[in-house]
Amino acid sequence: MKHQKTLKLIAACALSISASGLFAHGNEGHDGAKPAAVKKEQKEWGVAGDAKSVTRTVTLTMDDNMRFTPDKLAFKQGETVRFVIRNQGKLRHEMVIGTRQDLEAHAAMMAKFPTMEHDEPYMAHVAAGKQQDLVWTFNRAGEFDFACLIAGHFQAGMVGKISVTARASQ
Ligand SMILES: [Cu+2]
């Protein structure tokens, strides 16, 4: 079971490598906006958001102490959030949203293959001193995590919590 999941991750990462190779363009642009054609795949933790549907903006900082600030976020189901992600460190960091299980599996892959590149709408890779946006729609309620999956960072505790409350309970 675990093995199968790992294989799936390898496939996903290999796919994004070839995709970024095919459609190479400067992704770390002026305002850090993602390219227009974003895959809108429904994930357990939501779906890629439209910039024009943003209902809330959250500024997150990352640093070389392997921490996110804030590291606890709460949203309501249906909210489209623009994360403004600032890297205040001297190292590259990333923010990847997912379930704890997915992030753990992915972090294990990253630890094994540290140079592996990956890019999905629920990830932002931010160079030292830079800032990037990530727009995500939390259309599923639940308890999720976000993490930096760069080898060693996740293991050092570079993880935060996202709690999405169900619309019905509001
Ligand atoms: Cu990091």
Side-chain angles (χ1 to χ4, degrees):
M1 276 313 200
K2 193 133 200 194
H3 188 60
Q4 222 173 11
K5 182 128 204 174
T6 308
L7 283 175
K8 242 173 76 186
L9 272 166
I10 295 175
C13 289
L15 250 173
S16 34
I17 291 168
S18 59
S20 54
L22 274 172
F23 308 104
H25 44 61
N27 207 3
E28 299 201 355
H30 27 268
D31 55 0
K34 290 270 181 183
V38 184
K39 305 176 255 180
K40 291 222 169 186
E41 189 191 344
Q42 178 66 54
K43 294 287 182 185
E44 265 179 76
W45 54 94
V47 68
D50 275 322
K52 57 180 187 296
S53 315
V54 168
T55 49
R56 203 164 146 189
T57 298
V58 171
T59 301
L60 268 185
T61 60
M62 319 194 270
D63 62 53
D64 295 345
N65 293 324
M66 307 302 169
R67 291 293 177 269
F68 290 102
T69 310
D71 63 357
K72 284 189 183 65
L73 303 168
F75 302 115
K76 288 174 193 147
Q77 188 180 2
E79 276 192 298
T80 295
V81 181
R82 178 194 303 278
F83 292 98
V84 178
I85 307 156
R86 294 190 178 141
N87 183 352
Q88 296 182 330
K90 292 189 163 58
L91 301 170
R92 183 181 169 85
H93 291 289
E94 59 186 22
M95 180 204 181
V96 182
I97 309 172
T99 61
R100 183 74 190 192
Q101 202 184 13
D102 272 309
L103 292 175
E104 274 174 5
H106 206 153
M109 287 291 304
M110 293 289 285
K112 239 183 222 174
F113 306 102
T115 57
M116 183 173 72
E117 286 185 33
H118 57 178
D119 195 21
E120 297 289 343
Y122 50 88
M123 303 177 176
H125 311 279
V126 192
K130 300 283 187 201
Q131 158 177 329
Q132 195 165 333
D133 283 9
L134 191 165
V135 178
W136 191 252
T137 300
F138 291 96
N139 61 354
R140 298 270 166 94
E143 299 298 319
F144 310 110
D145 282 15
F146 60 100
C148 176
L149 301 183
I150 292 174
H153 297 204
F154 179 83
Q155 292 77 5
M158 197 161 179
V159 182
K161 296 253 160 233
I162 295 177
S163 172
V164 182
T165 42
R167 209 189 316 244
S169 70
Q170 292 308 299

